[in-house]
Amino acid sequence: MSVRRLTMISEIFENNGSVRQYSAHQIIIFQSSELIESFYIKSGYVIVYDIAPKGEKKILMILKPGDVFPLIWSMKEHYKARYFYEAYTDCEIAVLRTEKLIEQTKANLEFSNYMLEMSVETIKELMLRLQSLESTSSTHKVGEVFRYLYRVHSEKNGKWRRVTPPVTHQTIAEMSALARETVSLQTKVLIDAGAVKYEKQHYHIQAKVLNANLADEEIS
Amino acid sequence: MSVRRLTMISEIFENNGSVRQYSAHQIIIFQSSELIESFYIKSGYVIVYDIAPKGEKKILMILKPGDVFPLIWSMKEHYKARYFYEAYTDCEIAVLRTEKLIEQTKANLEFSNYMLEMSVETIKELMLRLQSLESTSSTHKVGEVFRYLYRVHSEKNGKWRRVTPPVTHQTIAEMSALARETVSLQTKVLIDAGAVKYEKQHYHIQAKVLNANLADEEIS
């Protein structure tokens, strides 16, 4: 996304709304609550999840700085949240009445194009998540979560790519519908193979080794 | 989606592109092929899928009349397909060079808004699919596929809703990463409970009964 566009959206949120601070683990939106506001992440990470009948968290997505949520803001002024949105780390978030956001989208071609590009990016990320959940083996499921993290949430760090949010075994378990113990075990396999390492509370990934380990299509 | 908007997109595709006929099971886009065209479904259904290392089809989505694909058209002129797109039934599809589509999106505010609404709708559908795949029991997995079909692909038919695409056990298996035998068994449970029935090659769903059976949140 170009800097100019990021500046535009950030300005639209800040000139028309307000900025709030959330601490890690604080819930930003409760499932089924009625919403009239939209949110823009200035810094930090937000998880989107659902709670399964037995009480487990099922994380659908991790959102990053620059993202707008709720994801299904629907271009409607009133909105009933389908999922929980929770601060995964400390976050700084700009908040705007959704009607203002819609007003901008309907009046400003460049902004509408921007929101469209962002939505297409979200579709890409969701499809990666879907692919990973359709894996049948736990090795693949865990490998696919790392692939998603690599593609959506990593930055170059020497020969490795560093996963920017501080993801834990628990997070991976909640993203793959596996038990935490299974995730530990499978992550250790990937660490022993040299595909993944854990340093300073962040995972690091080497795509080629991960791909070879999953014996599947290339990461691109 | 309003009739006026559907007319607009249909006109943009047809005035600038051409219309093609595909037979059921014909592949429209091969994974990894280089694309310079975008597609608009005038009639019929299209499945989007990936092939797992062992050769199983993993269906990510079913697309319906009015949808545009590839889903991640990226607003780029050249595009390397990430998934297979295949005619699920006989289809009539309008085809347009993607550069024309981008030209319209960048020049026409109403069209940009339309594409945005459509993308938000796709995000909603993908999130429903994700939710269903994060289920851990096979009962829930099958139930969640029916819930997705109910929400995205059904029309009122008396007390029931009729699933519009002619979905089979095999399709449900490919959407849930379950064996076909497991799908048969779990579908029978739902049929015995009165949540689902199969008539004239189409499933029919009763949401209340399905919900009670899944003992989960409401279908909305």
Side-chain angles (χ1 to χ4, degrees):
Chain A
M1 213 56 78
S2 74
V3 171
R4 181 166 133 61
R5 285 197 162 171
L6 274 179
T7 307
M8 175 171 66
I9 184 159
S10 164
E11 273 174 7
I12 285 174
F13 268 85
E14 289 176 44
N15 293 347
N16 301 284
S18 59
V19 174
R20 293 183 199 154
Q21 312 294 329
Y22 290 90
S23 311
H25 312 303
Q26 205 178 333
I27 292 180
I28 303 167
I29 302 176
F30 283 85
Q31 192 172 40
S32 300
S33 59
E34 298 280 343
L35 287 184
I36 52 164
E37 290 173 327
S38 296
F39 302 78
Y40 168 79
I41 306 176
K42 286 173 63 74
S43 69
Y45 295 89
V46 170
I47 50 174
V48 188
Y49 65 91
D50 186 28
I51 300 204
K54 287 179 191 156
E56 325 86 89
K57 246 186 213 180
K58 300 191 292 179
I59 300 177
L60 305 176
M61 292 270 281
I62 301 177
L63 306 179
K64 56 186 182 306
D67 284 344
V68 170
F69 64 92
L71 291 171
I72 327 172
W73 56 289
S74 291
M75 302 184 74
K76 280 184 211 148
E77 290 168 29
H78 290 268
Y79 178 85
K80 192 168 169 187
R82 274 179 191 270
Y83 306 100
F84 288 94
Y85 289 78
E86 180 182 306
Y88 186 65
T89 58
D90 291 347
C91 289
E92 194 178 27
I93 289 175
V95 185
L96 179 66
R97 283 181 73 99
T98 305
E99 62 181 0
K100 295 271 183 195
L101 189 65
I102 294 166
E103 211 176 274
Q104 286 293 331
T105 309
K106 300 221 160 158
N108 180 338
L109 178 62
E110 197 183 359
F111 187 66
S112 173
N113 272 221
Y114 168 81
M115 292 296 283
L116 176 56
E117 273 184 49
M118 205 172 59
S119 300
V120 170
E121 201 52 46
T122 302
I123 289 172
K124 198 183 289 182
E125 295 174 13
L126 281 166
M127 290 181 88
L128 284 172
R129 290 282 296 126
L130 256 180
Q131 253 182 308
S132 70
L133 282 162
E134 288 202 0
S135 302
T136 38
S137 76
S138 54
T139 316
H140 265 88
K141 277 189 180 155
V142 171
E144 291 285 356
V145 170
F146 279 110
R147 224 203 283 250
Y148 162 80
L149 293 171
Y150 177 95
R151 283 183 174 156
V152 179
H153 290 295
S154 74
E155 61 190 18
K156 209 170 150 43
N157 191 284
K159 280 188 190 170
W160 295 76
R161 287 188 71 97
R162 177 178 173 273
V163 175
T164 44
V167 166
T168 62
H169 283 170
Q170 183 60 31
T171 314
I172 298 172
E174 288 165 356
M175 292 178 80
S176 57
L178 293 170
R180 201 171 56 172
E181 296 68 25
T182 314
V183 170
S184 298
L185 208 71
Q186 295 299 342
T187 305
K188 187 156 182 325
V189 172
L190 293 172
I191 288 175
D192 291 345
V196 166
K197 67 177 180 181
Y198 190 70
E199 254 179 38
K200 296 180 190 159
Q201 306 197 308
H202 287 268
Y203 281 104
H204 295 69
I205 302 172
Q206 252 182 333
K208 277 190 187 162
V209 188
L210 181 62
N211 278 323
N213 236 259
L214 296 178
D216 199 354
E217 25 127 44
E218 291 283 293
I219 280 190
S220 57
Chain B
M1 210 60 76
S2 72
V3 172
R4 181 166 132 61
R5 287 198 161 170
L6 274 179
T7 308
M8 175 170 67
I9 184 159
S10 164
E11 275 175 5
I12 285 174
F13 267 85
E14 290 176 42
N15 294 347
N16 301 283
S18 58
V19 174
R20 295 185 198 152
Q21 312 294 328
Y22 291 89
S23 310
H25 314 304
Q26 204 179 335
I27 292 180
I28 304 167
I29 302 177
F30 283 85
Q31 192 173 40
S32 300
S33 59
E34 299 281 343
L35 287 185
I36 53 164
E37 289 173 327
S38 295
F39 302 77
Y40 169 79
I41 307 176
K42 285 172 64 73
S43 68
Y45 296 89
V46 169
I47 50 173
V48 188
Y49 64 91
D50 186 28
I51 299 206
K54 287 179 192 156
E56 322 86 90
K57 246 186 214 181
K58 301 191 294 179
I59 300 177
L60 305 176
M61 292 270 280
I62 300 176
L63 306 179
K64 57 187 180 306
D67 284 343
V68 170
F69 64 91
L71 292 171
I72 326 170
W73 55 289
S74 290
M75 302 184 75
K76 281 183 210 146
E77 293 170 27
H78 290 267
Y79 176 87
K80 193 170 169 186
R82 277 180 190 268
Y83 307 99
F84 288 93
Y85 289 77
E86 182 182 306
Y88 186 64
T89 57
D90 291 346
C91 288
E92 194 180 27
I93 290 175
V95 185
L96 178 67
R97 285 181 71 97
T98 306
E99 62 181 1
K100 295 271 182 196
L101 188 65
I102 295 167
E103 214 176 274
Q104 286 293 331
T105 309
K106 299 221 161 158
N108 180 337
L109 177 63
E110 197 183 358
F111 187 66
S112 173
N113 272 222
Y114 168 80
M115 291 297 284
L116 176 56
E117 271 182 51
M118 203 171 60
S119 301
V120 169
E121 201 51 46
T122 302
I123 289 172
K124 199 183 289 182
E125 295 174 14
L126 282 166
M127 289 180 89
L128 284 172
R129 289 282 296 126
L130 257 180
Q131 254 182 309
S132 69
L133 282 162
E134 288 202 1
S135 302
T136 38
S137 76
S138 53
T139 316
H140 265 87
K141 277 188 180 156
V142 172
E144 291 285 355
V145 170
F146 279 109
R147 224 202 284 249
Y148 162 80
L149 293 171
Y150 177 94
R151 282 184 175 155
V152 179
H153 291 294
S154 74
E155 61 191 18
K156 208 167 151 42
N157 191 286
K159 279 187 188 172
W160 295 75
R161 285 188 72 95
R162 176 178 174 274
V163 174
T164 44
V167 167
T168 62
H169 283 171
Q170 183 61 30
T171 314
I172 299 173
E174 288 165 355
M175 292 178 80
S176 57
L178 293 171
R180 202 172 54 170
E181 296 69 24
T182 314
V183 171
S184 298
L185 208 73
Q186 295 301 340
T187 305
K188 184 154 186 326
V189 173
L190 294 172
I191 288 175
D192 291 346
V196 167
K197 68 176 179 180
Y198 189 72
E199 254 179 39
K200 297 180 191 161
Q201 306 196 309
H202 287 268
Y203 280 104
H204 295 68
I205 302 172
Q206 249 182 335
K208 277 191 188 162
V209 188
L210 181 62
N211 278 323
N213 236 260
L214 297 177
D216 198 355
E217 24 127 46
E218 289 284 292
I219 281 190
S220 57

